[in-house]
Amino acid sequence: EPATQMSSVYGTKIVIHNKTNQYNGPIGAYIDALLEKHKEKVVTIGKDSVVLDLDGEDAIVGVSTDEKTSWLPISQVSRHPANGGLVEVITRTGRSTTATLTHSFLKRTPVGIAPVLGSDLKVGDRVPVATEIPEVANLLQSMTHEGNTFTLDRLFGWICGIYIADGSLNGRIVRISKMDPKVEEMCK
């Protein structure tokens, strides 16, 4: 949710989390897959416009009125043509999103974050941008394999990444071929 609450263009990148997996890609592909999977629950609301109520198991990062981010359940998705024009918002840091002029964006006001129509946004308005995605609730913290328990933390993830990029396995011997002092120090 870089700056919009509602209607974004098909290619807008999103991150969705649920109990079994995580989706990272365009919003349009995510919605198309949901509509296909739950055809019997899709409601037509007008020409080329459909809506699907969700069970709240899928979550997206949202922002509260006091600018705190958290994973929030998605209650509904829709697919429809743009109702009027589109507006592209580009932040000072270069992030961008495109959505319809007739749907709500979020912006900072003197009393906190509040929705505003895309048509009412002005250059200089401050829109919330997630600088960090909060940790997923009930995240798997460790795993046990052949009697060894591994803590699934940042270091373990880094080692797995180095192995995928520059590693090999020969029997029970793991080799990392990267010749870099930082890698050597981290692997000690």
Side-chain angles (χ1 to χ4, degrees):
E1 196 171 80
T4 180
Q5 279 185 298
M6 294 188 171
S7 298
S8 296
V9 295
Y10 189 98
T12 300
K13 300 288 187 214
I14 58 169
V15 177
I16 303 290
H17 173 75
N18 64 33
K19 291 178 182 176
T20 58
N21 60 26
Q22 181 170 303
Y23 173 81
N24 188 342
I27 191 171
Y30 165 77
I31 291 174
D32 286 349
L34 280 175
L35 295 175
E36 180 64 27
K37 182 178 178 181
H38 302 287
K39 287 180 189 177
E40 71 285 350
K41 295 181 182 177
V42 174
V43 177
T44 300
I45 56 172
K47 185 177 189 229
D48 299 322
S49 300
V50 295
V51 66
L52 173 65
D53 290 328
L54 299 179
D55 56 16
E57 289 193 15
D58 287 2
I60 191 165
V61 174
V63 63
S64 65
T65 57
D66 63 352
E67 302 185 42
K68 303 294 183 209
T69 56
S70 63
W71 288 97
L72 299 172
I74 301 170
S75 59
Q76 189 179 74
V77 295
S78 65
R79 182 177 58 206
H80 55 84
N83 182 10
L86 297 174
V87 61
E88 180 181 28
V89 173
I90 302 172
T91 68
R92 185 184 63 220
T93 60
R95 294 184 183 189
S96 67
T97 191
T98 302
T100 62
L101 289 167
T102 57
H103 283 88
S104 296
F105 280 75
L106 300 175
K107 82 173 196 175
R108 180 184 284 166
T109 70
V111 294
I113 300 299
V116 60
L117 292 179
S119 58
D120 293 336
L121 281 174
K122 297 174 185 54
V123 173
D125 282 346
R126 300 195 59 187
V127 294
V129 175
T131 56
E132 184 176 303
I133 294 179
E135 187 174 297
V136 175
N138 303 318
L139 191 64
L140 185 62
Q141 300 291 323
S142 65
M143 64 173 275
T144 302
H145 179 69
E146 295 181 358
N148 298 309
T149 299
F150 300 94
T151 302
L152 304 179
D153 57 10
R154 183 176 290 276
L155 177 60
F156 183 79
W158 182 86
I159 290 170
C160 289
I162 286 293
Y163 172 76
I164 290 168
D166 294 301
S168 64
L169 178 64
N170 184 0
R172 296 184 67 91
I173 299 171
V174 175
R175 290 196 174 109
I176 305 293
S177 60
K178 188 74 162 180
M179 300 298 288
D180 181 280
K182 181 178 180 183
V183 172
E184 290 176 19
E185 181 63 31
M186 293 289 286
C187 288
K188 287 183 180 179

